[in-house]
Amino acid sequence: MDRPLGLLAELTYRCPLHCPYCSNPVAVPDSAELALPEWLRVLEQARRLGVLQLHLSGGEPLARPDLTPLVASARELGFYVNLVTSGVGLDEPRAGELAHAGLDHVQLSFQDADRAAADETAGARVFDRKKAAAAAITALGLPLTINVVLHRANIGRIEAIADLAATLGADRLELAHTQYYGWALLNRSALLPTRDQVLAAEQAVAQARLVHGDTLEIVYVVADYYEPYPKPCTHGWGRRHIIIAPDGRALPCPAAAQIVGLGIDNVRERSLGEIWQHSAAFTRFRGEEWMSEPCRSCPRRTIDFGGCRCQAFALTGDAARTDPVCQFSPDHHLVDAALHGAGSPRSPLRLRSNPRVI
């Protein structure tokens, strides 16, 4: 059996932002979150399983007052520790505290290169606070990745976004098109770019790579609604990654909780090793036995693993269906219908409700 290499620890769903493409729910109370001793037990079990990389995320992980001892314990266990953050709350003292505890890397989200547009998408005036966080990170010599989710409103500013990342001293820029589940699916008509925008974006990425050369690695995650084949789902369902939700649910991917009847176990009730090897959630779509046609006989089944199970569920109501993005899927017409409306006037965005500001 494959061993997990990465653990995404969603420490809390609390977040100061209201991003309309977020996949996190907003109704998990603070009292349901795993306490520090519970997280430490999970991390010990993860190391025994072979996990090497720990990604501390949320929501906003800086909302947890016990983040520093969690980082220190993870470092002692031998993890490579990465912080995935909005940057809100990451001032110089907090950054220095985390670096001293053993933090290895920071992924900092930006919504746009334009201040007004970025703050509009975030639903809060945080652009300048993010820039200050980037300065605090690089001053400590920590590697910095800038993450930007691409959608109709910002896809035309890729070169400006790359210039911003370079100015902030980032080592890496990740440009990832919106994945349409959760809040993004509700806002799809307002977020989905046109085909012309996607083609122009590919040229803009190529130009940005020429401009910034080896000083800034630019990773571009394509818009799969416009691709003939889906992207591989987390390198295969239940093969490489584990996600732990704030309340202890163990998931094969960040959006898997939306799949009705998946059979999700909780680390409060079962060890992580047992969950990885035997739980219904992790074994349901592992391998190829679950596949039906056209996936079962498709030569790409070992490349894209049937595509995204969460996307299949979101679009068809059946997580076992071939990802409708695939041109051979019997449900591909659902994607065609969405693309047909991509050039329509912009629809209003529905922001995530009930945010909790740090």
Side-chain angles (χ1 to χ4, degrees):
M1 180 182 295
D2 293 316
R3 69 173 187 172
L5 299 180
L7 174 67
L8 177 65
E10 296 180 326
L11 302 181
T12 180
Y13 284 142
R14 287 174 282 166
C15 185
L17 309 186
H18 317 233
C19 303
Y21 43 72
C22 183
S23 61
N24 287 341
V26 294
V28 177
D30 300 358
S31 59
E33 294 177 2
L34 295 179
L36 179 61
E38 293 175 303
W39 274 117
L40 297 183
R41 185 180 70 249
V42 169
L43 296 187
E44 291 172 356
Q45 294 174 359
R47 281 297 289 139
R48 288 198 293 270
L49 270 175
V51 173
L52 301 175
Q53 296 183 350
L54 174 64
H55 306 279
L56 301 172
S57 180
E60 177 47 68
L62 292 167
R64 291 278 304 223
D66 53 6
L67 181 60
T68 297
L70 183 59
V71 169
S73 297
R75 183 66 168 183
E76 289 177 5
L77 287 168
F79 285 103
Y80 180 89
V81 187
N82 175 41
L83 178 67
V84 185
T85 176
S86 70
V88 179
L90 191 61
D91 55 16
E92 290 183 7
R94 190 87 186 273
E97 182 181 283
L98 292 168
H100 181 74
L103 186 66
D104 292 293
H105 180 269
V106 179
Q107 289 180 233
L108 177 62
S109 70
F110 271 79
Q111 282 66 38
D112 208 315
D114 178 81
R115 175 185 286 101
D119 287 345
E120 179 184 4
T121 300
R125 294 180 179 177
V126 293
F127 183 82
D128 289 335
R129 296 173 73 178
K130 288 173 176 287
K131 291 179 66 177
I137 294 163
T138 56
L140 291 163
L142 287 173
L144 172 63
T145 292
I146 299 295
N147 293 339
V148 180
V149 176
L150 297 177
H151 48 83
R152 187 189 304 180
N154 68 359
I155 192 172
R157 286 189 284 273
I158 285 176
E159 292 179 63
I161 290 169
D163 291 343
L164 173 65
T167 300
L168 293 174
D171 305 280
R172 185 171 179 269
L173 170 63
E174 182 176 307
L175 301 166
H177 279 266
T178 304
Q179 296 293 293
Y180 294 101
Y181 40 69
W183 289 89
L185 185 60
L186 293 174
N187 287 311
R188 186 175 62 183
S189 61
L191 295 169
L192 191 64
T194 66
R195 186 176 297 276
D196 287 344
Q197 284 182 309
V198 171
L199 292 174
E202 293 174 354
Q203 296 175 0
V205 169
Q207 180 61 29
R209 285 171 172 161
L210 285 175
V211 170
H212 297 288
D214 296 332
T215 62
L216 177 66
E217 179 187 5
I218 300 177
V219 178
Y220 180 60
V221 182
V222 300
D224 60 354
Y225 268 43
Y226 287 98
E227 291 291 297
Y229 305 110
K231 292 190 287 292
C233 181
T234 60
H235 300 285
W237 184 276
R239 291 187 58 199
R240 287 288 182 268
H241 303 285
I242 300 174
I243 291 83
I244 306 297
D247 58 0
R249 289 170 296 161
L251 305 166
C253 81
Q258 70 179 303
I259 299 176
V260 177
L262 186 59
I264 298 170
D265 282 301
N266 195 296
V267 294
R268 284 174 165 146
E269 301 163 356
R270 200 175 185 187
S271 76
L272 197 59
E274 290 177 323
I275 292 172
W276 174 258
Q277 295 179 34
H278 305 297
S279 74
F282 278 82
T283 60
R284 175 66 179 86
F285 302 111
R286 182 182 278 159
E288 300 177 16
E289 291 302 315
W290 62 272
M291 294 181 180
S292 58
E293 296 296 349
C295 292
R296 182 175 288 272
S297 59
C298 179
R300 291 185 58 85
R301 67 186 182 279
T302 59
I303 299 173
D304 56 36
F305 311 104
C308 178
R309 300 299 87 225
C310 300
Q311 189 156 259
F313 180 80
L315 295 179
T316 73
D318 182 357
R321 300 280 287 182
T322 300
D323 187 337
V325 162
C326 181
Q327 62 182 335
F328 300 119
S329 168
D331 303 305
H332 187 66
H333 64 278
L334 298 172
V335 174
D336 286 336
L339 295 180
H340 181 71
S344 61
R346 180 175 176 178
S347 302
L349 288 170
R350 283 183 276 185
L351 299 177
R352 293 176 71 240
S353 60
N354 301 324
R356 296 180 183 153
V357 179
I358 295 174

